[in-house]
Amino acid sequence: MQHTISVIVENDFGVLSRVATLFSGRGFNIDSLTVAPTNEEGLSRMTIVTRGDDQILEQINKQLNKLIDVLKVLDFTDGSAIERELALIKVAAEDDARAEVLRVVDIFRAKIIDVTPKSYTIEATGNPLKIDGILELLRPLGLKEVVRTGAVAIGRGAKGWNG
Amino acid sequence: MKMNGARIMLECLKKEGVDTIFGYPGGTVINLYDALFDFKEIHHILPRHEQAGTHAADGYARATGRVGVVIATSGPGATNTVTGIATAYMDSIPMVIITGQVPTPLIGNDAFQEVDIIGITRPCTKHSFLIRDVKDIALTMKKAFYIARSGRPGPVLVDFPKDIQIAQSEFDYPETVEIRGYKPNLSGHPRQVEKAVAMILESHRPVMYVGGGTVLSDSAEPLTELARTLTLPVTTTLMGLGSFPESDELSLGMLGMHGSYCANMAMSNSDLIIAVGARFDDRVTGKLSTFAPHAKIIHIDVDPTSIKKNVPVDLPIVGDVKDVLLKMIKQTDKNKEKLAGFVAALTPWHSDITAWKEKHPLGYKQSSTIIKPQFVIQKLRELSDDDAIISTDVGQHQMWTAQFFQFNKPRTLLTSGGLGTMGYGLPAAMGAQAAFPNRQIISICGDGGVQMNIQEMATLVQNRLPVKIVILNNNFLGMVRQWQELFFDKRYSSTCMELPIDYIKLADAYGAKGFLATKPGDVESVIKQGFEEKGPVIMEFMVAREEKVLPMVPAGASLNEMVLNA
């Protein structure tokens, strides 16, 4: 089962390798990982999309919590969070395909951010499933390059992670 | 008063109550050693290899319960500590490893003797620090010691660049430390404790399964009190040996791959396992799918990751083992009226256990012509001091020591349980002897492992550390040979040592005494002579070459499928 975890970490030397070492050393999967500083001084936030059964997910949570540099592990289950991902997509677009690409971009409320006579570059944001969807439709037209950020997630409701 | 970073480091160690350190000088710690030259409050011992220095710090920590400290230079000095660090990490031993590092402007340039030791040791340390400013030394060391000794203890590495050792600053040691991402949960939840005691009082075939966490948290006393009050049978892991007296009739001895028949049968037939500071390691559980099929499990551990890692748990209690046991004693006291009935109802269970003990006690076939290794271990127990500290290497002699020595006191067995490090025993004994100059320290080795750190004979002699080294010599890498005999059709691939070593001459070369026993009649006199000697000693016993450690649960088999005679 795929699962999204947010990890609040000290913005310290080596913290990313500690997390990565933990996942590789214990044979946990990482589907995607993003990391950037938060609004609070000295803290960064990682969003990790991982897979495993309940027992593995419990271990991942506990093992992350055990790292000294980890302040908090937020385990988002059952739609308790909003997830977004950004993708930059370079797609071949000549002749009839140009109009088709524009239609798809319109349907997915994406944006064209670069144009050449032979291609469009698209910026798409949304739930990772939506990104999968637009890629699915563009694939037959000829994907030249795809860059995805990996999901970021934030809990629903009025409360911040810290209450 | 301003002082340089090297001196500040030593002042930090002093503030942490460190009196003995092990270390090896080199280019990037030369400033630290210069400061040490007239820093009289800390006794420094120079091993002959950084790995041995690290094991010595580990042995010191295990024997005393304090944080062991080792210093190594950058590059090869640092990489030599890795086996020692991994050994300590697997057994949760509190240590601080200080490694020199090339000057900060050179880091990343492939400078002479530069290695990314933090990167190399990341998976086998509890935490690590690179000090990048002389002003950070004190706070870093305060954190390092706090992390090493608190919660589930472990090794912490501090990488200390040369330019930071030279830079000047004021020394101001923080009184307290707060790490926002690190708050070990030490206090067992009272409701969970209540439930645990209720579960015990409802059980009919309970077993306490006790691991190294009980030793680490100095909980032998409350453990013994609770077990005796409730008349609970107690089995320990290798790491738990000594936390409950094996002389007590409630003791089942060690369980697992080379555990006693009664311990493994008790686990397999139990209806309630109370795991105390143990982690359900594969050498303990055997085949997981058939492990303790009838038992509910209560798991007490300070580290939440240990709980439900290998086996499902019915009642987890996260907390310091001592805190939880003391609360369980109180809770048992509140249920006094149920106690007599509970204890009476355990009679059939106790009779089952007695029957298992009688059916297949630990044993071996004595010989009048060849020395049996188990006999040497029994004689060592008989002739050694009550508070003697035993260290072992890894392999057959380690299992025979665990089976036959009979450990009655905590912190009297130093052994690499998790990592299984050959070459651990001799330097660990050295560390224990440095901590307790007047106690009897016995390093029991095989002829394989002893050669992995034999150079420490020099350290023992130089520092007048009278460690008694016992070599059970079968001229084989015995444990691997045993597996080859049982599972590989006696194809002894690279397990015969072939070249016999004259250990008596070797002892002499280092300025120590050596004694040799070749027949059973020599054993007692050699041990006595060895113990009487004031300095370090090698006692070599030529033992039965193809003796096996039994019983044995073959890898992948269930606990109750023991090979008893092979």
Side-chain angles (χ1 to χ4, degrees):
Chain A
M1 195 181 69
Q2 216 181 37
H3 211 78
T4 305
I5 297 171
S6 277
V7 193
I8 314 292
V9 298
E10 294 283 358
N11 203 354
D12 262 355
F13 165 83
V15 63
L16 178 60
S17 4
R18 282 184 208 284
V19 171
T21 302
L22 167 63
F23 273 74
S24 62
R26 295 197 179 263
F28 302 145
N29 289 297
I30 299 181
D31 286 350
S32 73
L33 186 156
T34 71
V35 54
T38 68
N39 56 320
E40 281 154 279
E41 185 79 16
L43 293 185
S44 283
R45 179 161 175 152
M46 291 183 185
T47 311
I48 302 171
V49 179
T50 181
R51 266 172 297 131
D53 59 23
D54 287 353
Q55 193 248 344
I56 289 175
L57 290 170
E58 184 177 335
Q59 267 299 309
I60 291 175
N61 266 288
K62 286 174 170 179
Q63 294 286 356
L64 283 168
N65 262 312
K66 191 170 158 179
L67 294 177
I68 311 285
D69 287 335
V70 168
L71 267 73
K72 181 129 181 132
V73 180
L74 307 161
D75 184 6
F76 294 122
T77 48
D78 337 315
S80 61
I82 299 161
E83 285 182 43
R84 288 294 179 266
E85 184 174 10
L86 181 138
L88 303 178
I89 306 160
K90 197 172 284 184
V91 62
E94 291 186 78
D95 309 328
D96 294 351
R98 291 185 81 80
E100 178 59 16
V101 170
L102 292 177
R103 267 195 297 276
V104 173
V105 165
D106 190 39
I107 292 165
F108 282 87
R109 289 179 206 153
K111 277 193 286 189
I112 307 286
I113 54 171
D114 191 34
V115 187
T116 75
K118 292 179 174 180
S119 71
Y120 282 127
T121 300
I122 300 160
E123 175 191 320
T125 57
N127 184 291
L129 289 173
K130 174 179 160 184
I131 306 294
D132 291 345
I134 188 169
L135 289 171
E136 198 58 36
L137 289 174
L138 292 173
R139 184 165 290 114
L141 302 171
L143 293 175
K144 287 168 163 292
E145 191 174 348
V146 176
V147 187
R148 297 177 70 155
T149 57
V152 290
I154 194 163
R156 290 184 186 276
K159 279 187 182 166
W161 70 269
N162 215 359
Chain B
M1 186 187 77
K2 281 203 170 184
M3 51 180 91
N4 68 16
R7 174 70 188 269
I8 291 175
M9 176 61 80
L10 298 179
E11 296 288 349
C12 293
L13 296 180
K14 186 178 151 192
K15 283 278 187 188
E16 289 294 337
V18 175
D19 57 10
T20 304
I21 60 177
F22 304 85
Y24 209 100
T28 59
V29 284
I30 196 165
N31 302 88
L32 194 54
Y33 274 86
D34 186 63
L36 197 54
F37 194 65
D38 30 44
F39 198 87
K40 298 300 171 205
E41 290 95 330
I42 291 177
H43 178 214
H44 177 269
I45 292 177
L46 173 73
R48 295 303 188 262
H49 191 299
E50 290 92 346
Q51 182 196 349
T54 316
H55 290 323
D58 169 312
Y60 177 95
R62 290 188 206 226
T64 60
R66 297 160 65 186
V67 179
V69 179
V70 61
I71 296 172
T73 195
S74 63
T79 56
N80 275 345
T81 66
V82 172
T83 303
I85 297 172
T87 303
Y89 182 70
M90 285 291 270
D91 291 341
S92 311
I93 304 306
M95 282 197 351
V96 170
I97 305 98
I98 301 164
T99 50
Q101 183 53 281
V102 301
T104 43
L106 291 184
I107 291 179
N109 287 8
D110 297 326
F112 177 66
Q113 293 193 329
E114 179 187 359
V115 75
D116 174 15
I117 193 62
I118 288 195
I120 289 173
T121 57
R122 199 171 282 126
C124 62
T125 46
K126 185 171 174 185
H127 199 57
S128 44
F129 296 95
L130 169 65
I131 305 181
R132 287 194 284 190
D133 188 324
V134 65
K135 293 187 188 71
D136 295 342
I137 297 173
L139 183 59
T140 303
M141 293 311 287
K142 183 79 187 174
K143 285 182 180 173
F145 275 84
Y146 171 61
I147 292 169
R149 66 161 76 94
S150 59
R152 179 179 180 172
V156 176
L157 185 136
V158 179
D159 209 14
F160 192 22
K162 188 180 167 86
D163 55 325
I164 312 296
Q165 296 172 34
I166 296 166
Q168 298 272 327
S169 179
E170 297 287 337
F171 173 66
D172 182 17
Y173 205 63
E175 289 296 313
T176 55
V177 67
E178 164 92 9
I179 303 171
R180 53 185 174 172
Y182 178 68
K183 303 265 186 293
N185 183 1
L186 301 178
S187 175
H189 197 282
R191 183 80 195 98
Q192 298 294 86
V193 170
E194 274 173 37
K195 282 189 199 162
V197 172
M199 278 170 81
I200 294 171
L201 291 173
E202 278 163 24
S203 70
H204 302 284
R205 300 189 301 282
V207 181
M208 285 190 117
Y209 149 53
V210 175
T214 312
V215 177
L216 293 168
S217 61
D218 292 313
S219 307
E221 267 183 46
L223 173 84
T224 307
E225 184 183 339
L226 185 67
R228 284 181 178 159
T229 308
L230 290 159
T231 69
L232 301 173
V234 179
T235 179
T236 72
T237 67
L238 179 65
M239 299 311 299
L241 283 172
S243 53
F244 185 78
E246 291 195 278
S247 54
D248 193 294
E249 62 176 16
L250 288 168
S251 170
L252 309 176
M254 183 174 75
L255 81 166
M257 182 172 270
H258 293 296
S260 69
Y261 178 79
C262 70
N264 288 342
M265 290 306 282
M267 291 295 276
S268 300
N269 289 280
S270 166
D271 68 350
L272 180 68
I273 290 170
I274 306 120
V276 188
R279 59 187 178 90
F280 296 89
D281 170 82
D282 57 284
R283 285 297 192 264
V284 156
T285 60
K287 189 172 159 188
L288 271 177
S289 58
T290 53
F291 172 71
H294 316 292
K296 288 193 171 173
I297 295 176
I298 298 172
H299 193 170
I300 304 165
D301 206 299
V302 75
D303 178 3
T305 68
S306 285
I307 295 175
K308 297 189 202 169
K309 186 173 65 182
N310 300 332
V311 298
V313 168
D314 299 276
L315 184 75
I317 309 181
V318 175
D320 179 63
V321 164
K322 191 184 230 169
D323 173 84
V324 175
L325 289 173
L326 289 171
K327 284 177 178 160
M328 284 175 78
I329 290 171
K330 270 193 191 155
Q331 181 63 20
T332 306
D333 218 39
K334 284 188 200 157
N335 286 276
K336 251 186 190 149
E337 73 289 351
K338 293 184 191 154
L339 202 55
F342 168 72
V343 170
L346 289 188
T347 311
W349 178 232
H350 283 137
S351 340
D352 285 350
I353 285 171
T354 310
W356 288 321
K357 277 186 186 174
E358 284 166 2
K359 191 172 174 196
H360 295 293
L362 285 173
Y364 60 95
K365 217 169 150 196
Q366 185 55 293
S367 159
S368 58
T369 50
I370 305 169
I371 302 174
K372 287 301 181 93
Q374 302 94 328
F375 174 64
V376 178
I377 305 292
Q378 285 179 326
K379 277 285 165 195
L380 282 168
R381 165 79 292 177
E382 192 187 312
L383 299 168
S384 61
D385 298 343
D386 270 358
D387 68 345
I389 294 175
I390 311 302
S391 76
T392 77
D393 254 53
V394 169
Q396 286 188 310
H397 72 278
Q398 179 191 33
M399 291 297 107
W400 285 320
T401 302
Q403 291 178 331
F404 291 95
F405 192 81
Q406 199 178 76
F407 291 92
N408 295 321
K409 291 182 177 165
R411 300 193 184 278
T412 55
L413 171 63
L414 319 176
T415 194
S416 167
L419 196 69
T421 308
M422 286 173 72
Y424 169 80
L426 172 49
M430 183 167 96
Q433 190 81 75
F436 298 110
N438 299 318
R439 270 169 82 173
Q440 200 171 44
I441 314 286
I442 306 167
S443 162
I444 302 177
C445 305
D447 54 305
V450 76
Q451 294 188 56
M452 285 203 184
N453 269 318
I454 191 73
Q455 76 285 348
E456 299 310 318
M457 287 291 297
T459 316
L460 296 180
V461 174
Q462 181 187 323
N463 292 280
R464 297 194 181 85
L465 299 169
V467 170
K468 308 301 174 194
I469 301 166
V470 171
I471 303 175
L472 300 180
N473 189 347
N474 54 12
N475 213 26
F476 268 127
L477 299 174
M479 187 59 97
V480 182
R481 187 211 60 76
Q482 172 171 338
W483 282 52
Q484 288 171 334
E485 177 188 333
L486 294 174
F487 312 119
F488 293 88
D489 206 17
K490 292 203 179 188
R491 287 153 56 85
Y492 294 162
S493 181
S494 295
T495 42
C496 181
M497 301 300 271
E498 294 182 16
L499 179 74
I501 309 284
D502 187 335
Y503 286 104
I504 310 308
K505 272 193 191 159
L506 186 85
D508 191 49
Y510 280 112
K513 283 273 171 57
F515 302 96
L516 174 67
T518 57
K519 50 185 194 299
D522 301 340
V523 171
E524 188 162 327
S525 66
V526 161
I527 294 174
K528 282 184 173 163
Q529 287 178 75
F531 284 173
E532 274 163 25
E533 198 59 43
K534 291 254 183 299
V537 162
I538 287 181
M539 295 175 247
E540 182 188 10
F541 300 87
M542 305 306 293
V543 297
R545 292 201 67 202
E546 299 194 42
E547 189 73 11
K548 285 191 285 293
V549 180
L550 292 170
M552 174 175 193
V553 179
S558 307
L559 268 193
N560 57 0
E561 296 169 347
M562 284 161 275
V563 176
L564 295 160
N565 301 292

